[in-house]
Amino acid sequence: MLSMVAAFTGLDWALVGVIVLLLIFLIFLSLAEMGLSRMTKPKAAAMAEGGVKQGRALQQLVGEPEKWVNPLLLSVNVCQTVQATLTGVVASRAFGPLGVAIGVLLNVIVFFVLAEAVPKTYALLYPERAALTTARGTKLLVSFPPLRMVSGWLISLTNVIVKGKGLEQ
């Protein structure tokens, strides 16, 4: 196995670097998703009024979940898809045809534990800390115009498929 890693090219190492960055970003997104969903409006308002750092950003996010939920979930989906694909490519290059199975197994174990279970468990245990830690970054991410535009377009498509009252948001 070490000989396989030693045979990695510069491209392989660059892809591994991108995979690690995506892992870190997915940890942030999971922490934000669970932390924000566990935060109440009164608690966020009290933090903002009390001058807590990132309290205002948190209050804005909690007050208007329709502005962050879909862009955040779209970001998670894109990052998970890209990192899974890159993991398969690197594993296939390193281990041949069996590499795809190895990549899938590693992906499920590593990304489930590190990018889903750990940050979401942390956010369940410490929702205020998780929400405050991620509030400003989440607010910046979900206000990114191309992300809002694509997310809005996908929600419009969803509304065509699932008709109902109040789906405009």
Side-chain angles (χ1 to χ4, degrees):
M1 183 160 157
L2 282 178
S3 63
M4 296 286 188
V5 173
F8 267 22
T9 66
L11 175 63
D12 295 323
W13 286 113
L15 293 175
V16 169
V18 171
I19 292 166
V20 170
L21 289 174
L22 287 168
L23 172 64
I24 293 166
F25 191 53
L26 282 164
I27 290 168
F28 171 85
L29 294 173
S30 288
L31 195 60
E33 178 187 352
M34 187 60 68
L36 290 170
S37 66
R38 303 274 300 169
M39 184 57 52
T40 65
K41 289 180 184 180
K43 185 66 177 173
M47 291 174 157
E49 290 168 11
V52 173
K53 189 177 180 181
Q54 296 199 43
R56 290 274 178 233
L58 178 60
Q59 183 181 25
Q60 290 173 344
L61 289 165
V62 173
E64 298 178 302
E66 68 278 359
K67 288 190 176 179
W68 64 265
V69 170
N70 292 319
L72 188 77
L73 293 178
L74 176 59
S75 298
V76 168
N77 186 286
V78 168
C79 288
Q80 287 175 337
T81 302
V82 171
Q83 66 77 22
T85 301
L86 293 179
T87 300
V89 168
V90 170
S92 176
R93 289 170 56 97
F95 303 108
L98 181 61
V100 175
I102 292 169
V104 168
L105 181 63
L106 281 173
N107 192 54
V108 168
I109 294 169
V110 172
F111 279 84
F112 174 77
V113 171
L114 294 180
E116 289 289 331
V118 169
K120 288 183 178 179
T121 300
Y122 180 88
L124 283 171
L125 295 172
Y126 309 102
E128 293 171 13
R129 194 177 303 163
L132 283 170
T133 301
T134 59
R136 194 170 291 147
T138 301
K139 192 167 184 305
L140 183 65
L141 172 69
V142 302
S143 63
F144 184 58
L147 178 61
R148 293 186 62 75
M149 184 177 68
V150 171
S151 176
W153 180 80
L154 291 171
I155 292 305
S156 296
L157 180 61
T158 302
N159 290 344
V160 169
I161 297 167
V162 182
K163 296 183 189 284
K165 188 174 179 126
L167 292 175
E168 291 78 30
Q169 289 184 335

